[in-house]
Amino acid sequence: MHGFIIPSRKVLSEAKYYPRWSQLGRRCFSQVGVAQKTEPDKNDGVSIPSLPPFDYCPPPYTGPSAADILSKRKEYLSPSMFYFYNKRPVNMAGGRMQYLFDENGRRYLDAFGGIATVSCGHCHPDVVDAIVSQTKRLQHSTILYLNNAISDFAEALANKLPGNLKVVFFTNSGTEANELAMMIARLYTGCHDIISLRNAYHGNAAGTMGATAQSIWKFNVIQSGVHHAVNPDPYRGVFGSEGEKYAKDVQDLIQFGTSGNIAGFISEAIQGVGGIIELAPGYLPSVYSTIKKAGGLCIADEVQVGFARTGSHFWGFENQGVVPDIVTMAKGIGNGIPLGAVVTTPEIAEVLTRRSYFNTFGGNPVCTAAGLAVLKVIEKEKLQENAHAVGSHLKERLTALKDKYDLIGDVRGRGLMLGVELVTDHKLKTPAKLETLHIMDKLKEIGVLVGKGGFYGNVFRITPPLCFTKEDADFLVDAMDYTMAKM
């Protein structure tokens, strides 16, 4: 019963007006957070951090239990589909803004955001209304017919990008977007070689698996024409935060690994799957210059870092002061709807007219209506400003936690895309893999869900919905502090 909140008399008197509250009793009260008193830990008398108040209680869940779902999943779904919390996986039955609810109505703070995907918040009413309204009018027609949803969203999206980046091609995912971007670069330049970064993740299809540079995500199939440069990792990299020194490796790859001319360069501004690694300052300007001299195009993978997540800018690449030739995006673009996009210049986009290129579901009315609603919510609710303010506060508190516990080796990232790397030895930077799993489980028990990543699986990935509040940030850090103090 850790973290459950005792309902006040006032709340109890109002329970008759809320049947769900009456049904779930104390559990639902504890998660709604109307009252703030928490039960102390029986071992040391210290109160476990409690969730911030939230005026919502989910409707009753009447579906199958977590055990039943897990049984079917094991029988009918691919064994490659792994899940968190192996000992006791969670059945998520509902969501509202920055919170998720399990089958019993228990509330969790979602600090992972569906892998940096939920931008506006779970079931944001404006996005839901846009989806439902468009679905009732027209769910699918293909782009062979005119429809305002796709053109309106394309216009709005182009207006968020710098320079002449104004031609949009919609896809269904980030992998599809990166596949298309790499093909466009190869067609436009007439070259095959592409440079990516070590530790990168760009997708799991034929081309993008080649650009991905972590063995755990790469199958033993043909992946040709991609060269991986030294990763400009300020924490583990050989040159620390000196971006221009890392950039020289790109020049060396071109000179010694290619004909001297290449198709392009692809990178994230902050590596997500790789462990929230923000590229060393000054790296992209230097590399982009080198790529241009070799005749290549620069591709910015904004699948995780885009759509105001960094707070300081709308796009991740803007933090390094560069303008790419192609931008790819997905995840936050649709707040959970399967939607991706490639944006480039009119001149570069022309290469796709050499043959027929088509995507049946890319740009469908429902998804693009959702995408436009997401853009409007981000602007209306000032979510970029919120990501900057709350993210800065959260990073400060996490950094203070780093000073308190030797287990934390690094705190990094910006806005609401933050990473906390755990190590057992600061000098050797030995990955604390088991400790990471232990803390994840304990955080879940308290009511906090975080992701994990990095090559060694020892980095907490904190990428919550952009409606995250300072109270949520404090609860997350307090829960982490409480858990580490008991180790």
Side-chain angles (χ1 to χ4, degrees), residues 67-68 72 88 130 132 143 147 162 178 204 213 216 227-228 236 241 249 274 294 313 366 369-370 407 428 433 463 473:
D68 291 337
K72 287 185 179 180
R88 196 174 180 182
V132 172
I143 57 172
N147 185 273
N178 285 332
N204 55 13
I216 189 175
H227 309 264
H228 298 100
R236 290 184 176 272
S241 297
D249 188 54
H313 298 84
V366 175
L407 186 61
L428 299 176
K433 301 178 186 179
T463 55

Short mmCIF file of all heavy atoms in Angstrom, two decimals, residues 67-68 72 88 130 132 143 147 162 178 204 213 216 227-228 236 241 249 274 294 313 366 369-370 407 428 433 463 473:
data_model
loop_
_atom_site.label_atom_id
_atom_site.label_comp_id
_atom_site.label_asym_id
_atom_site.label_seq_id
_atom_site.Cartn_x
_atom_site.Cartn_y
_atom_site.Cartn_z
N ALA A 67 -2.52 -10.78 -16.36
CA ALA A 67 -2.09 -12.17 -16.54
C ALA A 67 -2.69 -12.77 -17.81
O ALA A 67 -1.99 -13.48 -18.56
CB ALA A 67 -2.50 -13.00 -15.33
N ASP A 68 -3.95 -12.49 -18.07
CA ASP A 68 -4.61 -13.01 -19.28
C ASP A 68 -3.98 -12.41 -20.55
O ASP A 68 -3.75 -13.10 -21.54
CB ASP A 68 -6.10 -12.71 -19.26
CG ASP A 68 -6.84 -13.50 -18.18
OD1 ASP A 68 -6.31 -14.55 -17.78
OD2 ASP A 68 -7.92 -13.05 -17.75
N LYS A 72 -1.90 -14.38 -23.64
CA LYS A 72 -2.20 -14.26 -25.07
C LYS A 72 -1.01 -13.68 -25.83
O LYS A 72 -0.73 -14.09 -26.96
CB LYS A 72 -3.42 -13.38 -25.27
CG LYS A 72 -4.74 -14.03 -24.89
CD LYS A 72 -5.91 -13.12 -25.24
CE LYS A 72 -7.24 -13.76 -24.88
NZ LYS A 72 -8.39 -12.90 -25.23
N ARG A 88 6.54 -8.33 -12.97
CA ARG A 88 5.15 -7.92 -12.79
C ARG A 88 4.80 -6.83 -13.80
O ARG A 88 4.71 -5.66 -13.45
CB ARG A 88 4.93 -7.43 -11.36
CG ARG A 88 3.45 -7.34 -10.98
CD ARG A 88 3.31 -6.99 -9.50
NE ARG A 88 1.92 -6.89 -9.11
CZ ARG A 88 1.51 -6.57 -7.89
NH1 ARG A 88 2.40 -6.32 -6.95
NH2 ARG A 88 0.21 -6.49 -7.62
N ALA A 130 -10.13 16.12 -32.73
CA ALA A 130 -9.74 16.21 -34.14
C ALA A 130 -9.78 14.84 -34.81
O ALA A 130 -10.24 14.71 -35.96
CB ALA A 130 -8.34 16.82 -34.26
N VAL A 132 -11.55 12.11 -33.83
CA VAL A 132 -12.93 11.61 -33.90
C VAL A 132 -13.71 12.35 -34.98
O VAL A 132 -14.45 11.74 -35.78
CB VAL A 132 -13.63 11.76 -32.53
CG1 VAL A 132 -15.11 11.43 -32.64
CG2 VAL A 132 -12.96 10.84 -31.51
N ILE A 143 -4.08 9.62 -51.13
CA ILE A 143 -3.72 10.95 -51.62
C ILE A 143 -4.04 11.13 -53.10
O ILE A 143 -3.75 12.17 -53.67
CB ILE A 143 -2.22 11.23 -51.38
CG1 ILE A 143 -1.36 10.15 -52.04
CG2 ILE A 143 -1.93 11.31 -49.88
CD1 ILE A 143 0.13 10.45 -51.99
N ASN A 147 -7.88 16.36 -50.39
CA ASN A 147 -8.46 16.46 -49.06
C ASN A 147 -7.71 17.55 -48.31
O ASN A 147 -6.47 17.62 -48.38
CB ASN A 147 -8.37 15.13 -48.31
CG ASN A 147 -9.07 15.17 -46.97
OD1 ASN A 147 -8.48 15.56 -45.96
ND2 ASN A 147 -10.35 14.79 -46.95
N PRO A 162 12.93 26.16 -40.88
CA PRO A 162 13.69 27.29 -41.41
C PRO A 162 14.02 27.13 -42.90
O PRO A 162 13.84 26.06 -43.49
CB PRO A 162 14.98 27.24 -40.58
CG PRO A 162 15.17 25.78 -40.29
CD PRO A 162 13.78 25.23 -40.10
N ASN A 178 13.06 7.89 -42.21
CA ASN A 178 14.51 7.83 -42.39
C ASN A 178 14.90 7.02 -43.62
O ASN A 178 15.87 7.35 -44.32
CB ASN A 178 15.18 7.28 -41.13
CG ASN A 178 15.22 8.29 -40.01
OD1 ASN A 178 15.26 9.50 -40.24
ND2 ASN A 178 15.21 7.81 -38.77
N ASN A 204 14.67 0.22 -38.03
CA ASN A 204 14.97 -1.21 -38.10
C ASN A 204 14.61 -1.84 -39.44
O ASN A 204 14.39 -3.04 -39.52
CB ASN A 204 14.27 -1.95 -36.96
CG ASN A 204 12.77 -1.69 -36.95
OD1 ASN A 204 12.21 -1.17 -37.91
ND2 ASN A 204 12.12 -2.06 -35.86
N ALA A 213 23.73 2.09 -35.25
CA ALA A 213 25.07 1.62 -34.89
C ALA A 213 25.15 1.13 -33.46
O ALA A 213 25.94 1.62 -32.65
CB ALA A 213 26.10 2.73 -35.15
N ILE A 216 22.93 -4.45 -30.71
CA ILE A 216 21.69 -5.03 -30.20
C ILE A 216 20.52 -4.81 -31.17
O ILE A 216 19.56 -5.57 -31.18
CB ILE A 216 21.35 -4.45 -28.81
CG1 ILE A 216 20.17 -5.22 -28.19
CG2 ILE A 216 21.03 -2.97 -28.89
CD1 ILE A 216 19.85 -4.80 -26.77
N HIS A 227 28.86 4.30 -43.21
CA HIS A 227 30.08 4.38 -42.41
C HIS A 227 29.74 5.09 -41.11
O HIS A 227 29.01 6.08 -41.10
CB HIS A 227 31.15 5.18 -43.16
CG HIS A 227 31.38 4.70 -44.56
ND1 HIS A 227 32.39 3.80 -44.89
CD2 HIS A 227 30.72 4.97 -45.71
CE1 HIS A 227 32.33 3.55 -46.20
NE2 HIS A 227 31.33 4.25 -46.71
N HIS A 228 30.27 4.59 -39.99
CA HIS A 228 29.91 5.13 -38.69
C HIS A 228 31.08 5.90 -38.07
O HIS A 228 32.14 5.33 -37.81
CB HIS A 228 29.46 4.01 -37.76
CG HIS A 228 28.25 3.29 -38.26
ND1 HIS A 228 28.32 2.08 -38.92
CD2 HIS A 228 26.94 3.63 -38.24
CE1 HIS A 228 27.09 1.70 -39.27
NE2 HIS A 228 26.25 2.62 -38.86
N ARG A 236 31.40 10.00 -22.41
CA ARG A 236 32.26 8.85 -22.61
C ARG A 236 33.26 9.03 -23.77
O ARG A 236 34.14 8.20 -23.95
CB ARG A 236 31.43 7.59 -22.88
CG ARG A 236 30.68 7.08 -21.66
CD ARG A 236 29.94 5.79 -21.93
NE ARG A 236 29.30 5.27 -20.73
CZ ARG A 236 29.89 4.45 -19.85
NH1 ARG A 236 31.12 4.06 -20.07
NH2 ARG A 236 29.24 4.03 -18.78
N SER A 241 33.88 17.41 -24.56
CA SER A 241 32.89 18.29 -25.19
C SER A 241 33.44 19.09 -26.36
O SER A 241 32.83 20.06 -26.80
CB SER A 241 32.32 19.26 -24.13
OG SER A 241 31.63 18.55 -23.12
N ASP A 249 36.90 13.05 -37.64
CA ASP A 249 36.73 11.65 -38.02
C ASP A 249 35.82 11.50 -39.23
O ASP A 249 36.00 10.58 -40.03
CB ASP A 249 36.15 10.85 -36.84
CG ASP A 249 36.13 9.35 -37.12
OD1 ASP A 249 37.19 8.79 -37.46
OD2 ASP A 249 35.05 8.75 -37.01
N GLY A 274 20.11 5.80 -27.84
CA GLY A 274 21.52 5.71 -27.45
C GLY A 274 21.80 6.17 -26.03
O GLY A 274 22.94 6.05 -25.56
N ALA A 294 31.88 17.47 -49.68
CA ALA A 294 31.93 16.15 -50.31
C ALA A 294 30.69 15.89 -51.17
O ALA A 294 30.48 14.77 -51.63
CB ALA A 294 32.08 15.08 -49.24
N HIS A 313 14.37 25.27 -28.27
CA HIS A 313 14.02 25.38 -29.68
C HIS A 313 12.94 24.37 -30.04
O HIS A 313 12.71 23.40 -29.31
CB HIS A 313 15.26 25.15 -30.57
CG HIS A 313 16.35 26.15 -30.36
ND1 HIS A 313 17.28 26.03 -29.36
CD2 HIS A 313 16.66 27.30 -31.04
CE1 HIS A 313 18.13 27.05 -29.42
NE2 HIS A 313 17.77 27.83 -30.42
N VAL A 366 -7.10 11.16 -41.15
CA VAL A 366 -7.20 11.09 -39.69
C VAL A 366 -5.87 11.46 -39.04
O VAL A 366 -5.81 12.25 -38.09
CB VAL A 366 -7.64 9.68 -39.24
CG1 VAL A 366 -7.62 9.57 -37.72
CG2 VAL A 366 -9.03 9.36 -39.77
N ALA A 369 -4.99 15.18 -39.56
CA ALA A 369 -5.84 16.01 -38.71
C ALA A 369 -5.31 16.02 -37.28
O ALA A 369 -5.29 17.06 -36.60
CB ALA A 369 -7.28 15.51 -38.74
N ALA A 370 -4.86 14.86 -36.83
CA ALA A 370 -4.26 14.77 -35.49
C ALA A 370 -2.98 15.59 -35.43
O ALA A 370 -2.73 16.30 -34.45
CB ALA A 370 -3.97 13.31 -35.15
N LEU A 407 26.31 6.76 -7.38
CA LEU A 407 25.76 5.88 -8.40
C LEU A 407 25.43 6.64 -9.69
O LEU A 407 25.44 6.06 -10.78
CB LEU A 407 24.50 5.19 -7.86
CG LEU A 407 23.86 4.11 -8.74
CD1 LEU A 407 24.83 2.95 -8.98
CD2 LEU A 407 22.58 3.60 -8.09
N LEU A 428 36.14 4.70 -13.99
CA LEU A 428 36.03 3.72 -15.07
C LEU A 428 34.70 3.81 -15.80
O LEU A 428 34.54 3.24 -16.89
CB LEU A 428 36.21 2.31 -14.51
CG LEU A 428 37.56 2.01 -13.83
CD1 LEU A 428 37.54 0.61 -13.23
CD2 LEU A 428 38.69 2.15 -14.83
N LYS A 433 24.20 -1.77 -14.52
CA LYS A 433 23.03 -2.37 -15.18
C LYS A 433 22.00 -2.89 -14.20
O LYS A 433 20.80 -2.60 -14.31
CB LYS A 433 23.50 -3.52 -16.09
CG LYS A 433 24.50 -3.11 -17.16
CD LYS A 433 24.95 -4.33 -17.97
CE LYS A 433 26.04 -3.98 -18.95
NZ LYS A 433 26.49 -5.17 -19.72
N THR A 463 11.55 11.31 -20.84
CA THR A 463 10.96 12.02 -21.98
C THR A 463 9.44 12.08 -21.81
O THR A 463 8.70 11.49 -22.58
CB THR A 463 11.32 11.31 -23.30
OG1 THR A 463 10.89 9.92 -23.21
CG2 THR A 463 12.80 11.35 -23.58
N ALA A 473 7.89 16.95 -11.71
CA ALA A 473 9.35 16.84 -11.71
C ALA A 473 9.87 16.59 -10.30
O ALA A 473 10.75 15.74 -10.08
CB ALA A 473 9.97 18.10 -12.29
#
